[in-house]
Amino acid sequence: MRRCGLCVALDAPDLATAEGWADAVAPHAGLLKVGLELFSAEGGAAVRRIATRRPVFLDVKLHDIPNTVAGAVRSLAPLGPAWITIHAAGGPAMVEAARKAAEAAGGVARPRILAVTVLTSIDAATLSETGVSGGPVQQVLRLARLAMAAGADGLVCSPREVAPIRDALGELPVLVVPGVRPAGSAADDQARTATPEQVARDGADWIVVGRPITQAADPAEAAWSIAQALRVN
Ligand code: C5P
């Protein structure tokens, strides 16, 4: 049975706040996520500083023409992130360009490329407003196949698509899953959610949890409790 780890999303406005959270949760987390809020405020220093605690998942969700995405991956790789996110919706040439740039820039310790399928905040109605018919599961599977065929190392999907992706694509793709909420905690702006226990049982490699930990009265205790929930599966 595969082990599912905890990645904590450090969505802070400044590095001091993020480093405080990182120190509190590091004993219970295998990965720490630097996202757009922190990276926009602090740039590469955020990745370098947080990486002194745990490997960094740099969630910048690149989505542009292949040449521009390849250039961004080349610029980000020296910061030393373990993972960089791109949008699968950028198409196979963009995914392939990101993979090749990561390989060229990073050698053996290259950053791994994670392709985001459909954002966890998007429900069926919103997806259809963007012109996509068929619902989230169908669209996630389409993008997952496209991204893995084009060389992505793994996928970001919501809790609802973990089991369908394992059924369709097998054990190989690394699955990283935000939108996870312990029983009884607020969904916030997430639409397609499930509990840590369920996501681990379905076959995720990592769950990504932000506000239920960082906004808790005791972030260390909240992270510990979620890490425990992952273990009992
Ligand atoms: O606070 P919360 O647990 O909702 O944080 C989830 C994190 O995962 C956020 O940093 C968000 O940017 C990120 N994320 C997501 N859905 C995706 C990809 C990333 O919520 N599809």
Side-chain angles (χ1 to χ4, degrees):
M1 161 117 199
R2 61 204 300 145
R3 288 280 304 272
C4 182
L6 172 63
C7 172
V8 178
L10 304 174
D11 291 324
D14 56 70
L15 195 43
T17 307
E19 289 194 278
W21 290 343
D23 287 335
V25 306
H28 315 297
L31 268 181
L32 295 171
K33 187 167 92 74
V34 173
L36 285 175
E37 182 180 3
L38 182 59
F39 191 69
S40 300
E42 303 278 3
V47 181
R48 290 202 172 96
R49 293 289 313 149
I50 297 301
T52 61
R53 281 91 171 175
R54 287 282 177 273
V56 167
F57 168 15
L58 180 54
D59 189 17
V60 282
K61 298 191 182 70
L62 302 173
H63 192 175
D64 209 313
I65 61 171
N67 185 58
T68 301
V69 166
V73 170
R74 271 195 302 276
S75 295
L76 294 169
L79 301 175
W83 296 93
I84 297 174
T85 48
I86 63 173
H87 267 290
M94 195 203 85
V95 175
E96 194 184 341
R99 164 70 185 247
K100 285 192 171 148
E103 278 175 349
V108 188
R110 71 170 178 88
R112 262 48 196 177
I113 299 295
L114 272 181
V116 177
T117 54
V118 176
L119 293 171
T120 44
S121 55
I122 292 186
D123 61 13
T126 309
L127 193 61
S128 130
E129 276 182 321
T130 69
V132 176
S133 56
V137 174
Q138 194 179 319
Q139 180 66 359
V140 167
L141 287 176
R142 180 186 293 136
L143 291 171
R145 287 196 180 94
L146 171 164
M148 293 309 295
D153 296 292
L155 302 163
V156 181
C157 64
S158 95
R160 312 282 177 89
E161 296 97 31
V162 176
I165 290 180
R166 287 280 176 240
D167 285 347
L169 278 83
E171 297 302 310
L172 193 61
V174 173
L175 294 187
V176 179
V177 183
V180 177
R181 289 292 181 267
S185 69
D188 304 305
D189 54 350
Q190 299 287 11
R192 308 193 323 277
T193 63
T195 62
E197 294 88 340
Q198 183 63 51
V199 177
R201 259 197 304 273
D202 285 351
D205 295 283
W206 294 97
I207 60 166
V208 179
V209 184
R211 287 162 291 183
I213 291 173
T214 58
Q215 304 307 309
D218 183 344
E221 202 276 331
W224 173 84
S225 152
I226 292 174
Q228 288 299 111
L230 294 176
R231 262 196 211 166
V232 295
N233 273 289

